[in-house]
Amino acid sequence: MLNSIKEAEREADEIIADAESDAEERLAEARERADEIRAEAEEEAESEAQDRLETARAEIEERREEILESGRADRDELEREARDRVESAVDYAVERFEAAVHDQAEEAVDAQA
């Protein structure tokens, strides 16, 4: 009977040792898999961040070009308006000059008469 108990204890010890070994092995595998998952998640996050950054840069560049084009159009319009004003100012100055010359000519004619 004592031998049976000793044999049962030995078998129980083996079962416990196997279970502990199996548990340690599974734990090591789980840790390894967790590390793999973490690394994959970090890579995906970095890739996603890079994609978003590139998208944002493209949108910024597109908006920048729109703003520049709008600025160019505004500048062109201002230049046209300035040219129109210069032409109007020149026309006004010529008219005033001609009126002054005409007035002087009439005064000269009146003075001779």
Side-chain angles (χ1 to χ4, degrees):
M1 175 95 161
L2 189 59
N3 282 339
S4 292
I5 294 172
K6 286 185 179 182
E7 181 65 25
E9 286 178 351
R10 189 183 56 75
E11 286 178 12
D13 288 344
E14 285 179 13
I15 291 171
I16 291 171
D18 287 346
E20 287 175 350
S21 175
D22 189 43
E24 288 176 11
E25 191 175 301
R26 287 183 183 200
L27 184 58
E29 288 174 1
R31 286 183 178 145
E32 185 177 321
R33 182 63 186 137
D35 289 343
E36 290 172 3
I37 291 170
R38 187 178 304 112
E40 290 172 5
E42 287 173 358
E43 285 179 21
E44 288 177 15
E46 187 175 322
S47 177
E48 179 68 23
Q50 187 64 32
D51 289 347
R52 287 182 179 186
L53 181 60
E54 289 174 11
T55 299
R57 283 183 176 153
E59 290 172 359
I60 289 168
E61 182 60 25
E62 183 179 327
R63 181 66 180 131
R64 177 183 168 275
E65 286 302 318
E66 289 172 1
I67 291 168
L68 288 174
E69 184 57 36
S70 175
R72 286 184 199 108
D74 290 347
R75 181 200 61 212
D76 292 346
E77 180 63 26
L78 289 171
E79 286 177 353
R80 276 192 293 281
E81 289 175 6
R83 278 193 297 276
D84 290 346
R85 287 187 194 135
V86 168
E87 290 175 12
S88 295
V90 169
D91 290 345
Y92 177 75
V94 168
E95 288 174 11
R96 297 284 295 160
F97 178 74
E98 288 175 348
V101 169
H102 185 296
D103 290 344
Q104 285 180 353
E106 283 185 356
E107 288 175 9
V109 169
D110 289 341
Q112 285 183 357

